[in-house]
Amino acid sequence: MATAVICECNPFHNGHEYLFRTAKLLTGGELIAVMSGSFTQRGEAAVTDKYTRAGAALRGGADVVAELPAVCAVANAQRFAEGGVRVAKSFACVDTLAFGSETEDLRVLETAANALRSERVNALVAEEMKRGGCYPHAVEAAVREVYGDDIAAAVSSPNNILAVEYLRALRGTSIRPLPVRRQGVSHDSAEVSGRYASASRIREMLRTGADVSRYLPEIPGSITRPELLDRAILYRLRTMTAEELRALPDVGEGLENRILEAARRCGSVEELLGSVKTKRYTHARLRRILACALLGVTERLQTGEWDYVRVLGFSDRGAGLLCSCRGEIITSPAKSLRENGRNSEYLRLDIRAADLAALAYEEIKPAGTDFCTKILRPDTAL
């Protein structure tokens, strides 16, 4: 049997390596990494390309690296988790989902997952949202009122939020959850601790040229800069209609008009975000909306059906795991697109995401890498 880990590896750092190796040690089986491709849940291009990150993951303990479809990679926590679990459960061999969290107490995480389904909690959240509140804060306050501080803490930490969503997504499956306590620093922390630093801190250091060798098993060569996509994003927004914006995930209540108005007068994405952001619409939500606009990810696509596994790389031990996959295994995007099967629309999104992320480097990368990059192996990975 095998363990799955849903991750971004943005970039692959010592914390990921610890999670991978701890999960394999505790379960005794192989590990399948379901990894975001060219864009991440922050609504930004990944810090480096998916093949570089997949190669590091293979050398860091993964036996298979499968790409989380772009339509899920830029989704909110619930849909991100559901997409990752969909890929994981397509492998009949997967019996465990391991994930990092601030607590290893499964009882606390399961109670938090139940809290998010509570009618009382949802009623309190709805009341706060009517008053113009911020959704994450409304959820935390509602859970605290009904369940107490410990459970509220479990839905306020970014790592725990995803852990709770993984538990919700696993309901009805035979896959058991395996929380692994996060090492070193908290999510998005600016602090460092020994060999550990948060991915956001490492990205910042990479982009300023600081020495990150202490925190990464290997240092990527080419680094993206999100602001280099500003013109592409603003162009896309300025050529969209209000109706097209309303078709994106998480857009409603007139938000499309605020975005359109800001896009016409703002000269950068940061300026646009500052103009549109309110207590109700967080930076993270708005960034995901902008990423969806750029990529063409609509609500219809994000809630649609797909059943493919895009394999980026595998080890000798991982080769046998691929035989247990019950979905369409894609090792040749060109072949899959020629056949124009049921997953083609989603695969085209993945390819578009890679081509657009190639514009986020100071020296623009060529398009079409999905068609000319071979399946990675640990000894030959980039």
Side-chain angles (χ1 to χ4, degrees):
M1 303 305 284
T3 297
V5 171
I6 302 166
C7 53
E8 293 190 315
C9 299
N10 186 35
F12 185 82
H13 55 63
N14 292 343
H16 295 116
E17 188 172 50
Y18 173 82
L19 172 60
F20 284 16
R21 298 200 183 282
T22 299
K24 294 181 77 169
L25 180 65
L26 292 174
T27 63
E30 286 79 30
L31 186 139
I32 297 173
V34 182
M35 188 191 78
S36 296
S38 302
F39 278 75
T40 67
Q41 210 209 358
R42 298 175 66 89
E44 295 179 347
V47 71
T48 193
D49 70 272
K50 60 190 176 185
Y51 302 105
T52 297
R53 288 156 41 235
L58 286 169
R59 289 185 288 273
D63 295 292
V64 172
V65 179
E67 181 176 357
L68 177 66
V71 73
C72 304
V74 294
N76 60 35
Q78 180 180 347
R79 292 179 178 178
F80 178 93
E82 289 171 349
V85 168
R86 187 184 298 189
V87 175
K89 71 181 183 181
S90 68
F91 289 90
C93 62
V94 170
D95 64 352
T96 304
L97 179 72
F99 48 84
S101 63
E102 305 302 335
T103 177
E104 290 181 306
D105 191 335
L106 196 54
R107 179 194 60 81
V108 169
L109 296 174
E110 287 175 339
T111 303
N114 290 331
L116 296 183
R117 303 173 66 198
S118 162
E119 291 183 5
R120 176 60 178 154
V121 167
N122 287 322
L124 290 171
V125 171
E127 290 174 12
E128 179 60 23
M129 296 303 289
K130 287 179 183 177
R131 293 192 290 267
C134 170
Y135 180 75
H137 294 160
V139 170
E140 182 181 352
V143 171
R144 177 171 287 108
E145 180 173 333
V146 179
Y147 286 86
D149 290 341
D150 287 347
I151 307 305
V155 298
S156 62
S157 161
N159 274 81
N160 282 350
I161 289 171
L162 270 177
V164 168
E165 293 298 346
Y166 293 146
L167 293 182
R168 296 177 73 192
L170 288 175
R171 293 184 189 277
T173 75
S174 59
I175 301 174
R176 71 180 183 92
L178 176 62
V180 176
R181 187 175 181 84
R182 184 182 176 90
Q183 295 297 300
V185 297
S186 60
H187 182 86
D188 275 351
S189 172
E191 304 298 321
V192 298
S193 176
R195 297 176 55 250
Y196 298 101
S198 68
S200 59
R201 177 62 175 141
I202 293 170
R203 288 192 296 273
E204 178 186 342
M205 294 174 73
L206 282 168
R207 286 165 176 153
T208 58
D211 181 10
V212 294
S213 58
R214 188 175 186 178
Y215 313 113
L216 302 179
E218 50 193 82
I219 300 173
S222 299
I223 302 299
T224 62
R225 298 187 181 279
E227 66 275 11
L228 295 180
L229 288 180
D230 280 13
R231 288 177 184 264
I233 292 171
L234 291 173
Y235 165 78
R236 175 63 179 145
L237 293 175
R238 290 182 180 188
T239 56
M240 293 179 77
T241 64
E243 183 179 6
E244 288 172 327
L245 268 170
R246 281 195 300 272
L248 302 178
D250 291 329
V251 175
E253 302 170 327
L255 178 60
E256 67 276 11
N257 297 318
R258 290 173 57 85
I259 293 174
L260 283 176
E261 191 277 329
R264 292 187 179 109
R265 61 180 172 78
C266 293
S268 71
V269 166
E270 283 303 318
E271 185 184 356
L272 184 149
L273 291 172
S275 176
V276 176
K277 182 186 180 299
T278 64
K279 285 197 304 181
R280 192 178 186 87
Y281 301 115
T282 64
H283 266 100
R285 177 177 174 180
L286 291 171
R287 283 191 181 280
R288 286 194 292 271
I289 289 171
L290 299 189
C292 287
L294 180 64
L295 299 178
V297 174
T298 62
E299 175 74 5
R300 175 187 69 82
L301 287 168
Q302 204 169 79
T303 57
E305 292 298 319
W306 48 268
D307 64 346
Y308 69 103
V309 174
R310 173 72 196 284
V311 178
L312 298 179
F314 58 89
S315 67
D316 290 340
R317 295 182 67 184
L321 304 180
L322 299 178
C323 299
S324 78
C325 185
R326 293 170 288 207
E328 177 190 2
I329 294 183
I330 296 178
T331 55
S332 170
K335 180 175 182 292
S336 182
L337 291 178
R338 281 197 303 271
E339 294 172 353
N340 197 28
R342 61 191 179 278
N343 296 307
S344 294
E345 191 172 16
Y346 290 93
L347 179 59
R348 288 190 184 96
L349 274 176
D350 299 339
I351 294 167
R352 183 184 307 159
D355 289 347
L356 288 169
L359 301 174
Y361 296 89
E362 289 187 350
E363 183 176 339
I364 293 175
K365 303 288 186 181
T369 53
D370 280 279
F371 299 109
C372 59
T373 305
K374 295 181 179 179
I375 299 293
L376 302 176
R377 305 301 297 271
D379 56 341
T380 60
L382 300 175

